[in-house]
Amino acid sequence: MAKQTSVTNRIREVRGAMTQAELADAIGVTRQTVNAIEQGKYSPSLEVAFKIARTLDSSIDDLFSYPDD
Amino acid sequence: MSFQEKSTWISLATVFLIYGWYFGTTATELGGNVADIDYQSTMLFTVVAVVVVSVILNVVVVFADPDASDTSDERDRSINRFGEYVGGYVLAAGALLGLGLAMAEIEQFWIANAILLGLVLSELTSGVVKVVAYRRGF
């Protein structure tokens, strides 16, 4: 059921001075969802991941990583 | 806490307290012939009360934070879908219980209350699953 996702990310580090609320507004989700993504409690859809990458002028590969088996 | 999570908490608390009151009150009337128990009016009052109290509390939350009230994103929808999916199993079990009691020609009192109990437990299960998903991650 509810669990931490294996996907890790560097959103907190890359967004710098931009607040969670500002990022949330830019990509069309709630601030709580941005917080959950940053804490590894929620894996965003591919569409939201692309929006985050575009907003932060970065790439999905740079922001998200998945551990090797 | 997002508006959707607050709404989930409201639903959970309302269902637990008001239906808890109903089943507690009804249980005190057991002992004699259940066919003589006038449960219908109390049950209808309770169902209406849950809806009315939920709406009022949600309106209060909306007034407290109008900007957050219209925001529901993919995470909210996923959590809601998952909670309703799990709750659906409980609802099905309640429906089967009601069906079994009807086939066994048990008193209508027990059939009606078994179906209501299934609905309530389904709501509670959905609510708990959603709250855990919001808190622990999904």
Side-chain angles (χ1 to χ4, degrees):
Chain A
M1 205 181 73
K3 62 180 188 305
Q4 292 267 324
T5 173
S6 300
V7 178
T8 57
N9 67 79
R10 300 173 54 238
I11 296 173
R12 173 71 194 93
E13 177 189 339
V14 175
R15 72 177 162 83
M18 179 184 273
T19 65
Q20 287 183 340
E22 287 167 347
L23 177 57
D25 283 345
I27 62 176
V29 301
T30 62
R31 186 194 61 75
Q32 289 80 10
T33 292
V34 169
N35 187 48
I37 294 170
E38 285 188 0
Q39 292 186 10
K41 290 183 174 180
Y42 175 66
S43 291
S45 67
L46 195 54
E47 188 174 352
V48 168
F50 270 113
K51 285 180 179 175
I52 294 171
R54 186 169 295 176
T55 302
L56 297 179
D57 200 18
S58 182
S59 67
I60 287 184
D61 249 8
D62 186 43
L63 287 176
F64 297 93
S65 52
Y66 192 74
D68 294 329
D69 288 334
Chain B
M1 191 185 291
S2 69
F3 173 75
Q4 299 301 326
E5 185 178 353
K6 285 176 188 166
S7 187
T8 302
W9 276 106
I10 287 171
S11 171
L12 196 54
T14 308
V15 166
F16 181 78
L17 292 174
I18 297 181
Y19 282 120
W21 170 82
Y22 167 78
F23 284 114
T25 304
T26 306
T28 61
E29 297 183 37
L30 295 174
N33 185 359
V34 293
D36 297 332
I37 299 175
D38 180 28
Y39 69 92
Q40 294 93 334
S41 55
T42 314
M43 185 183 280
L44 286 173
F45 170 79
T46 307
V47 171
V48 172
V50 166
V51 174
V52 171
V53 171
S54 291
V55 168
I56 290 172
L57 291 176
N58 272 291
V59 167
V60 170
V61 171
V62 168
F63 272 103
D65 188 5
D67 291 339
S69 60
D70 61 346
T71 53
S72 170
D73 61 20
E74 62 172 40
R75 176 169 162 262
D76 293 313
R77 288 189 290 274
S78 294
I79 289 175
N80 184 60
R81 204 177 301 126
F82 181 56
E84 296 300 326
Y85 171 76
V86 176
Y89 284 103
V90 180
L91 184 62
L96 288 175
L97 177 63
L99 194 63
L101 291 173
M103 286 178 170
E105 298 184 356
I106 305 293
E107 285 284 350
Q108 286 182 1
F109 169 87
W110 292 113
I111 298 170
N113 280 284
I115 293 171
L116 182 67
L117 184 64
L119 285 166
V120 171
L121 291 179
S122 161
E123 285 290 314
L124 291 175
T125 304
S126 301
V128 169
V129 167
K130 290 176 196 175
V131 164
V132 170
Y134 272 116
R135 297 282 98 191
R136 287 187 52 198
F138 180 74

